Amino acid sequence: MASLQSHLLYQMIRYWRRRHPIGEFGPDSYKSVRKTIESGVKQGRLPPGVYLEPTRAGDVPGEWIHAVGARADKVLLYLHGGGYVAGSPASHRALTAALSREARVRVLAIDYRLAPEHPYPAALDDAVAAYTWLLDQGYSARSIALGGDSAGGGLSAATLVRLRDGGAPLPAAAFMLSPWADLTGTGESVRTRAALDPMLGGDVAAFARYYVGPDGDPRHPLISPIHADMRGLPPILIQVGTREVLHDDAIRLAERVRAGQGRVELEVWDDMIHVFQVFPSLLPEARRAIRRIGEFLRAELA
């Protein structure tokens, strides 16, 4: 059963979305999403005992987040969500700080290029470049984990596939929170759970068009990794809530990994909203989920 805090947050977000609808898809719709996320960033603070250091992973801007006790020789490369059109390392600091503390690793959160100014493959190019930069800094692939939420979750899956296909050594493990793995929107939950989802609702199709671009194919396996060959990937942990339109993306992505003889752990959290893990200070479920991610990463990076 979901906590009282979760029920209250759900109602608050539903109320806010009714008063601030994104509206019909148009050339400037993404700007309202960015404005909303950026306004939330201004309210955020790093928790005590967590430190931030701006950096560049080669040509890709980003930031190091490290909690007291985090190992300097273990790294999580984190790819934020935001529909490929919004978000930044700053918007996800509460989550990356908690991940650093629970997994006891340094977190490199990158500020990959966003659509529509930079459609596919810009974000994927930046993710691969940041991973390659970590290898060039002397980190072994076995000391690196990869993770992301929503669009960043789908981007994490695409990054693994591209690294494998390019012959690069793969990270020790990966996790994906509510991964957006099918930009064609064919998952049944995109329709059946739209009214339940206060975070995304029916907005995913608009975001997809921004990222894919006018000449792209949303079925491309590096855009929609639900269509990719998942053989030979490292262990993967996937978490998803039941109150979100991307529920079926997560389920089907896990099935694809299993079909490729990979090891995947799928956790479906009852009554949880899209990427509930970004609220660790508010939701006990978020704290439990992050602890579970920390356990998974510590085991795989050992």
Side-chain angles (χ1 to χ4, degrees):
M1 180 179 294
S3 65
L4 174 60
Q5 296 95 317
S6 176
H7 285 299
L8 290 173
L9 180 65
Y10 180 74
Q11 294 302 329
M12 289 172 60
I13 296 174
R14 283 177 63 90
Y15 175 77
W16 190 93
R17 281 301 300 271
R18 284 196 298 267
R19 293 179 59 88
H20 301 86
I22 289 178
E24 296 297 323
F25 173 76
D28 294 327
S29 299
Y30 67 95
K31 293 181 180 178
S32 64
V33 180
R34 288 184 186 174
K35 182 178 180 181
T36 298
I37 292 178
E38 289 168 3
S39 65
V41 168
K42 296 176 182 178
Q43 309 303 317
R45 296 288 186 275
L46 280 174
V50 179
Y51 302 93
L52 179 152
E53 178 186 348
T55 190
R56 294 191 72 87
D59 293 331
V60 183
E63 61 186 35
W64 286 108
I65 295 287
H66 53 99
V68 171
R71 294 185 56 171
D73 61 337
K74 305 291 183 180
V75 177
L76 166 62
L77 174 58
Y78 194 81
L79 309 175
H80 67 79
Y84 290 110
V85 304
S88 69
S91 66
H92 284 63
R93 281 177 188 153
L95 176 55
T96 54
L99 288 168
S100 179
R101 179 183 291 118
E102 292 295 335
R104 299 170 198 156
V105 297
R106 299 181 75 196
V107 179
L108 174 61
I110 63 168
D111 198 6
Y112 60 82
R113 289 169 290 171
L114 299 176
E117 298 92 339
H118 304 284
Y120 170 85
L124 181 57
D125 288 345
D126 288 352
V128 170
Y131 181 79
T132 303
W133 179 82
L134 284 172
L135 295 178
D136 291 342
Q137 299 308 298
Y139 291 100
S140 71
R142 295 298 306 166
S143 67
I144 303 172
L146 179 65
D149 66 280
S150 195
L155 183 58
S156 295
T159 300
L160 291 176
V161 172
R162 178 140 156 212
L163 289 170
R164 180 203 62 197
D165 291 349
L170 296 179
F175 69 90
M176 299 153 196
L177 312 179
S178 305
W180 190 19
D182 178 13
L183 273 66
T184 66
T186 59
E188 183 179 353
S189 59
V190 171
R191 295 175 294 278
T192 60
R193 306 193 187 205
L196 285 174
D197 191 332
M199 300 287 279
L200 294 181
D203 301 329
V204 289
F207 296 155
R209 279 172 277 188
Y210 285 130
Y211 183 58
V212 174
D215 301 319
D217 181 358
R219 297 169 296 180
H220 192 292
L222 294 180
I223 293 177
S224 294
I226 198 75
H227 300 298
D229 177 356
M230 292 288 176
R231 287 177 291 185
L233 301 186
I236 295 172
L237 171 65
I238 299 175
Q239 295 180 341
V240 69
T242 59
R243 283 181 166 177
E244 56 174 308
V245 296
L246 298 185
H247 173 273
D248 289 3
D249 281 37
I251 303 299
R252 292 183 296 152
L253 185 62
E255 291 172 351
R256 288 291 294 172
V257 176
R258 293 191 185 108
Q261 305 302 309
R263 177 158 68 89
V264 60
E265 299 179 40
L266 173 66
E267 297 181 356
V268 180
W269 290 69
D270 288 340
D271 296 326
M272 289 296 104
I273 61 174
H274 183 64
V275 195
F276 63 94
Q277 299 89 342
V278 299
F279 301 107
S281 64
L282 299 177
L283 302 182
E285 293 90 347
R287 295 190 288 275
R288 289 200 299 271
I290 294 170
R291 282 197 296 271
R292 174 70 191 96
I293 298 167
E295 293 170 356
F296 171 77
L297 293 182
R298 291 197 305 273
E300 299 301 331
L301 288 168

